[in-house]
Amino acid sequence: MLSARRSYRMFVAVAPLLVLGACDGGAGTDDAGPSSERDAFVAPGTDAFVAPGTDAYVTPGTDAPTTGGVTYYGNLRPVLAQHCASCHVEGGVAPFALTSYEQATSWGSRLVEVTRDRIMPPYLADNSGSCQTYRDARWLSDAELATFADWVAQGMQEGDPTTPEPMIVPPPVLTGAVSTLDIGVDYTPDSGRSDDYRCFIVDSPGGYVTGYDVHPGNRSIVHHVIVYEPTSDAEGDRARSLDAAEAGPGYTCFGSATVDAFPVVLWAPGGGATTFPRGTGVEIPTTRPLIVQIHYNVLGGTGSDRTRVDVQTDARAIPAYIVPIIHSGFAIPPRTESYSSTHSQSLSALGSISPRVYGAFPHMHTLGTSLSVSLVSGATEQCVIDVPRWDFNWQLAYWYETPFRVSSTDEMRITCEWSSMGRDTTTTWGEGTEDEMCLSFFYVSL
Ligand code: HEC
């Protein structure tokens, strides 16, 4: 994503900018996390469709086995509707729907496994509380997990088909001034491979981005969307030349924008709008373009796409920066089931400021199996993000429920683990499909 050297320079460059931010009236904000609009929707009535926990169907005071039990219509359908149907719907990005009794029974015990192992819904960071918790986490509760397990264990009963359709929490929407980034063409992904990563260049509306929402043109093929901002005008020009050098709209880009850039928008289906933590925003100067990277997956559909990205912009905001902690000095030996490597980075460049960290965006390529970052302050080490099962296909943003401060005397320690069983050569840092990465971006502001 970034060369280590350049990124370190960028990190150092950020420190004085944060100081400037302080003069901008940024100090004194409270510890609020990202103010997703979702809170507004989680209101009375929500309980009506959250699947009941086991208590709901175990008759109090008896040890008798549950009668009536867990049924599709009574218990499972509401969980599927809330947590799965944004993708597993006819025409959705998942390769099959989970919106009928027949579809659910055909997957049966696999539903229990993918939920228990937290493969589905896709959410890679551990949100159990052993290493941070996140806002709007797509994280099934123990009661919801039990609903899957009990439904299968009790023989996948149908229940009453006349049960009213479950109501679902509507995804949050943007409320401020919105500019639309339009890729400008109907793009048909390369159907010769199941995954096509394409980067489109769009003009920056200027100002500060304070939130975003993505409207895929073709929901069956848009797997996820990342909008990158080049780190300099020169890197923006490099992106334009890559675009010009390749036939067709945009250019091919695998795990990154190919030029030095940081992610401003990270979106996967079903999430709705994201609003940055209260009052903060990322400046997007008009002198450099933005790069819209779309991951097309043609397993679930075909055809062309014209995706729109709505960015909520403000002329002024408390400046936020997206800074990476990078480990680039690794060499993964070939045919190794598990190779892990750790790197510590001092935060001394922060000088006298102690900014807050609001969010994390971890990143590796396809050999990656796990990633974790900790914050070392003197003798204490605090887990900052833990991804126990990395999946390159789901690059997501994780917003802290409780943002934390960092200071110049701290150190960030990043550990990555890879599996190189299929490789015959040593793998090192790089942009290509055969290269690897080990980094996490952090959303930082005063
Ligand atoms: C953000 C979109 C999204 C959401 C939400 C989602 N899925 Fe999926 N699911 C996918 C996609 C895409 C695939 C195809 C494999 C892949 O790309 O990971 C998939 C694959 C699956 C599979 C087959 C994979 C396997 O290993 O057997 C199952 C089963 C599944 N999902 C169940 C669920 C359940 C149950 C939920 C809700 C608790 C859910 N999914 C939520 C997108 C989603």
Side-chain angles (χ1 to χ4, degrees):
M1 202 158 278
L2 291 162
S3 77
R5 193 165 36 82
R6 281 190 185 132
S7 309
Y8 181 70
R9 280 214 312 271
M10 194 176 119
F11 189 79
V12 172
V14 158
L17 291 171
L18 283 166
V19 176
L20 287 176
C23 312
D24 235 30
T29 52
D30 59 21
D31 261 296
S35 59
S36 163
E37 313 293 319
R38 174 161 300 183
D39 291 355
F41 293 96
V42 181
T46 322
D47 292 351
F49 50 81
V50 169
T54 41
D55 291 355
Y57 52 84
V58 174
T59 314
T62 71
D63 289 328
T66 55
T67 47
V70 177
T71 67
Y72 172 77
Y73 283 103
N75 310 86
L76 192 70
R77 186 169 68 161
V79 182
L80 293 172
Q82 186 63 58
H83 296 288
C84 318
S86 55
C87 300
H88 289 276
V89 63
E90 229 45 74
V93 72
F96 57 93
L98 279 173
T99 47
S100 74
Y101 175 63
E102 289 68 31
Q103 286 157 347
T105 43
S106 76
W107 283 89
S109 58
R110 189 68 193 143
L111 298 180
V112 180
E113 291 160 7
V114 297
T115 50
R116 179 199 60 204
D117 297 345
R118 303 221 180 256
I119 295 168
M120 289 285 150
Y123 196 79
L124 308 185
D126 182 326
N127 187 55
S128 67
S130 63
C131 175
Q132 307 290 338
T133 52
Y134 304 92
R135 288 250 176 153
D136 301 330
R138 292 190 193 194
W139 188 259
L140 298 181
S141 67
D142 289 348
E144 288 163 338
L145 292 179
T147 300
F148 283 98
D150 293 349
W151 180 67
V152 171
Q154 294 175 20
M156 303 195 280
Q157 294 174 55
E158 183 170 8
D160 179 3
T162 65
T163 308
E165 288 267 333
M167 287 195 306
I168 59 159
V169 181
V173 294
L174 292 178
T175 50
V178 162
S179 305
T180 298
L181 312 178
D182 180 354
I183 62 172
V185 286
D186 290 326
Y187 178 72
T188 306
D190 184 347
S191 57
R193 42 191 166 162
S194 57
D195 295 283
D196 183 0
Y197 295 88
R198 197 80 188 170
C199 278
F200 303 91
I201 306 251
V202 298
D203 286 337
S204 161
Y208 289 82
V209 177
T210 56
Y212 57 81
D213 197 1
V214 172
H215 305 282
N218 181 343
R219 287 180 357 115
S220 68
I221 57 173
V222 177
H223 192 283
H224 76 266
V225 176
I226 301 179
V227 179
Y228 291 95
E229 178 180 343
T231 52
S232 65
D233 293 357
E235 289 301 307
D237 292 343
R238 267 186 69 207
R240 287 192 200 279
S241 355
L242 287 171
D243 185 15
E246 205 171 311
Y251 61 95
T252 309
C253 53
F254 171 67
S256 69
T258 316
V259 300
D260 273 6
F262 54 85
V264 183
V265 167
L266 290 102
W267 178 90
T274 295
T275 311
F276 289 150
R278 225 159 273 120
T280 66
V282 179
E283 193 176 11
I284 45 165
T286 51
T287 50
R288 54 186 98 144
L290 294 170
I291 303 164
V292 180
Q293 183 197 43
I294 305 184
H295 170 192
Y296 292 106
N297 178 284
V298 297
L299 287 178
T302 51
S304 67
D305 165 65
R306 182 160 181 174
T307 285
R308 288 185 299 118
V309 179
D310 283 344
V311 287
Q312 181 177 291
T313 53
D314 259 313
R316 279 174 60 87
I318 301 163
Y321 300 91
I322 297 172
V323 290
I325 295 294
I326 292 187
H327 177 22
S328 62
F330 56 82
I332 308 161
R335 292 178 298 278
T336 304
E337 190 161 331
S338 169
Y339 176 77
S340 133
S341 184
T342 298
H343 168 74
S344 295
Q345 186 170 313
S346 154
L347 304 186
S348 59
L350 289 173
S352 61
I353 55 165
S354 304
R356 282 192 189 86
V357 180
Y358 289 95
F361 323 135
H363 184 71
M364 303 170 85
H365 284 181
T366 54
L367 298 186
T369 53
S370 71
L371 174 152
S372 64
V373 183
S374 62
L375 178 68
V376 183
S377 315
T380 60
E381 185 167 355
Q382 177 200 354
C383 183
V384 159
I385 184 153
D386 182 29
V387 175
R389 192 190 54 80
W390 171 253
D391 182 345
F392 177 75
N393 285 320
W394 296 107
Q395 319 252 348
L396 305 171
Y398 303 94
W399 296 100
Y400 294 111
E401 272 191 322
T402 312
F404 54 89
R405 284 189 184 278
V406 289
S407 75
S408 62
T409 53
D410 295 340
E411 203 175 87
M412 287 273 217
R413 192 170 286 168
I414 181 164
T415 301
C416 290
E417 192 184 325
W418 299 269
S419 174
S420 61
M421 290 308 278
R423 288 279 167 91
D424 293 330
T425 51
T426 299
T427 306
T428 52
W429 173 277
E431 303 275 350
T433 48
E434 297 285 294
D435 302 321
E436 268 304 322
M437 290 203 175
C438 171
L439 78 151
S440 183
F441 287 100
F442 289 96
Y443 186 101
V444 174
S445 183
L446 284 172

